[in-house]
């Protein structure tokens, strides 16, 4: 398939480029105003463009977007209206109202629009969920990420579009909703600066409850010295995702090679070292080519952006930030 990658020089966009190259897809253009775009494009045989306006719209079928989130909605719309399939990184919009309007928009266009919640397509997570679903009624889920950050710099700590909640916990809130299979509402939430003096929180914690009484707790922390343990899944160059759950038939914990169910270690084949971006893009292409249903939808993106709003509204003492370290 012929692709264009937007934000190709960034953390996520460069991974889209590498994944597409490894998968053997043709990248016809890279769109990034950054200085290294021409060199990056030359390496993969693509054109370098500073803006969407420089693209030849007849030359590609699909695009991936990995941009500061406020740029996602307009580009998603322009591309989809031109008949291009779009894989847009999470969050698809800077706020819930725009996320909701994208749900209606996605229904109105005959192309595939998929949000980039790559854990939904990760075989390790899918294998864990299959096992969890075979263990009777779920009572409690805990999902946490600890990400190493030497400092808080760039757009990731800017108000509105940054912070540990919107940038990282968004994945865990999506997983919690998916695992529990019901809407979740926060009993309380905490957004604080534990390590860094910064405009947005470096710690997010919430306890959520579903209508049937399932509890899901979510922790997302950015710190210079994250506690890394053996159980869990590496999702960044320096961080750890940990998942544990209790059901009527016991407990289950995500491990580095699969999961541990009631004390028994189960290895999942082919999950160690898996390239999550390749798995995500394989699913995107498969959905386009076969018309099979997406494992994660624009509506799922809205649900998680709405839950983020609910958590902000439920935050206790939001002004009570205590910064112990200056970034
Ligand atoms: N799925 C994941 O695990 C994951 C991980 C990291 C980031 N993300 C998401 O990906 C998106 C980008 O994050 P990042 O960490 O890669 O950011 P980044 O700051 O590293 O990269 C953003 C890139 O966009 C480029 N850019 C800015 N304006 C542009 C425009 N108008 N057209 C084209 N390019 C433009 C910048 O030059 C930069 O290279 C965010 O939505 C983020 O939440 C997802």
């Amino acid at each position: 398939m012929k692709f264009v990658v937007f934000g190709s020089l960034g953390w996520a966009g460069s991974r889209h480029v590498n994944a597409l190259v490894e998968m053997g897809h043709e990248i016809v253009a890279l769109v990034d105003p950054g200085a290294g775009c021409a060199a990056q494009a030359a390496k993969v045989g693509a054109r370098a463009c500073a803006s969407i306006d420089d693209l030849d719209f007849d030359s590609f079928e699909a695009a991936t977007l990995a941009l500061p989130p406020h740029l996602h909605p307009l580009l998603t719309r322009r591309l989809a209206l031109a008949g291009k399939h779009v894989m847009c990184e999470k969050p698809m919009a800077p706020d819930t109202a725009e996320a909701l309007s994208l749900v209606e928009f996605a229904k109105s266009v005959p192309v595939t629009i998929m949000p980039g919640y790559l854990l939904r397509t990760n075989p390790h997570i899918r294998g864990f969920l299959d096992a969890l679903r075979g263990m009777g009624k779920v009572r409690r889920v805990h999902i946490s990420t600890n990400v190493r950050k030497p400092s808080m710099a760039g757009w990731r700590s800017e108000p509105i579009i940054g912070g540990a909640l919107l940038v990282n916990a968004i994945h865990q809130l999506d997983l919690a909703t998916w695992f529990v299979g019901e809407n979740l509402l926060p009993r309380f939430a905490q957004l604080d600066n534990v390590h860094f003096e910064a405009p947005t929180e470096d710690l997010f914690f919430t306890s959520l409850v579903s209508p049937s009484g399932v509890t899901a707790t979510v922790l997302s922390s950015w710190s210079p010295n994250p506690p890394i343990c053996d159980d869990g899944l590496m999702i960044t160059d320096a961080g750890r995702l940990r998942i544990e759950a209790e059901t009527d038939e016991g407990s289950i914990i995500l491990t580095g090679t699969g999961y541990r169910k009631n004390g028994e270690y189960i290895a999942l084949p082919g999950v160690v070292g898996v390239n999550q971006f390749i798995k995500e893009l394989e699913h995107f292409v498969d959905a386009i080519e076969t018309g099979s249903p997406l494992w994660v939808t624009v509506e799922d993106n809205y649900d998680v952006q709405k839950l983020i709003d609910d958590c902000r509204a439920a935050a206790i003492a939001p002004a009570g930030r205590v910064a112990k370290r200056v970034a």
Side-chain angles (χ1 to χ4, degrees):
M1 190 164 288
K2 293 179 178 175
F3 273 89
V4 169
V5 177
F6 286 76
S8 58
L9 289 170
W11 191 96
S14 59
R15 283 160 175 81
H16 293 178
V17 173
N18 294 342
L20 290 168
V21 168
E22 209 173 316
M23 292 163 75
H25 291 294
E26 186 181 346
I27 304 178
V28 298
L30 302 180
V31 185
D32 198 306
C37 188
Q40 185 189 31
K43 260 194 215 154
V44 298
R47 273 188 65 214
C49 299
S51 138
I52 187 171
D53 298 321
D54 303 334
L55 281 177
D56 170 6
F57 268 76
D58 291 332
S59 66
F60 67 101
E61 300 152 278
T64 73
L65 306 185
L67 306 167
H70 64 282
L71 300 172
H72 285 156
L74 187 65
L75 288 175
T76 297
R77 285 168 189 273
R78 273 190 72 179
L79 289 160
L81 287 172
K84 312 301 168 191
H85 306 285
V86 180
M87 201 288 280
C88 175
E89 274 299 343
K90 51 58 118 176
M92 293 190 76
D95 59 48
T96 313
E98 284 209 59
L100 181 58
S101 117
L102 280 174
V103 173
E104 291 314 310
F105 173 75
K107 288 182 197 156
S108 73
V109 283
V111 293
T112 299
I113 303 181
M114 179 175 129
Y117 293 87
L118 81 184
L119 294 170
R120 290 250 197 168
T121 56
N122 182 316
H124 197 154
I125 300 290
R126 296 185 75 80
F128 177 88
L129 181 57
D130 283 346
L132 177 64
R133 285 191 172 142
M135 292 178 70
K137 166 86 178 152
V138 177
R139 299 286 170 179
R140 187 185 69 81
V141 177
H142 175 69
I143 306 178
S144 58
T145 48
N146 296 87
V147 176
R148 188 185 308 279
K149 290 236 190 263
S151 75
M152 282 177 73
W155 68 263
R156 291 179 198 78
S157 62
E158 280 176 27
I160 315 288
I161 57 172
L165 168 53
L166 190 58
V167 175
N168 278 120
I170 188 168
H171 283 297
Q172 289 96 74
L173 292 173
D174 178 57
L175 287 187
T177 307
W178 184 35
F179 286 9
V180 172
E182 299 175 53
N183 284 335
L184 295 166
L185 277 177
R187 281 271 195 262
F188 69 85
Q190 179 190 4
L191 291 147
D192 271 314
N193 286 77
V194 173
H195 297 281
F196 300 108
E197 184 111 47
T200 49
E201 76 285 349
D202 57 34
L203 180 127
F204 167 72
F205 179 63
T206 187
S207 183
L208 308 157
V209 182
S210 79
S212 77
V214 185
T215 285
T217 48
V218 169
L219 169 77
S220 183
S221 167
W222 291 350
S223 76
N225 299 301
I228 302 292
C229 63
D230 288 341
D231 283 339
L233 172 69
M234 198 65 92
I235 57 160
T236 72
D237 295 335
R240 182 65 70 169
L241 169 69
R242 180 177 167 85
I243 306 178
E244 61 183 47
E246 287 174 85
T247 77
D248 283 351
E249 292 174 21
S251 66
I252 181 168
I253 300 168
L254 187 78
T255 64
T257 53
Y259 53 84
R260 191 165 67 244
K261 179 177 157 184
N262 293 329
E264 185 191 355
Y265 282 85
I266 310 284
L268 288 166
V271 300
V272 176
V274 73
N275 183 328
Q276 305 192 92
F277 288 94
I278 288 184
K279 290 292 164 196
E280 177 177 44
L281 287 161
E282 277 175 359
H283 175 61
F284 176 58
V285 170
D286 183 62
I288 294 167
E289 289 180 345
T290 67
S292 59
L294 288 172
W295 291 342
V296 59
T297 64
V298 181
E299 205 154 359
D300 293 321
N301 175 74
Y302 165 71
D303 286 346
V304 72
Q305 292 208 233
K306 168 78 171 64
L307 186 50
I308 285 170
D309 273 4
D310 293 343
C311 287
R312 287 198 201 284
I316 47 167
R321 294 184 170 172
V322 184
K324 303 229 164 53
R325 181 189 301 260
V326 174

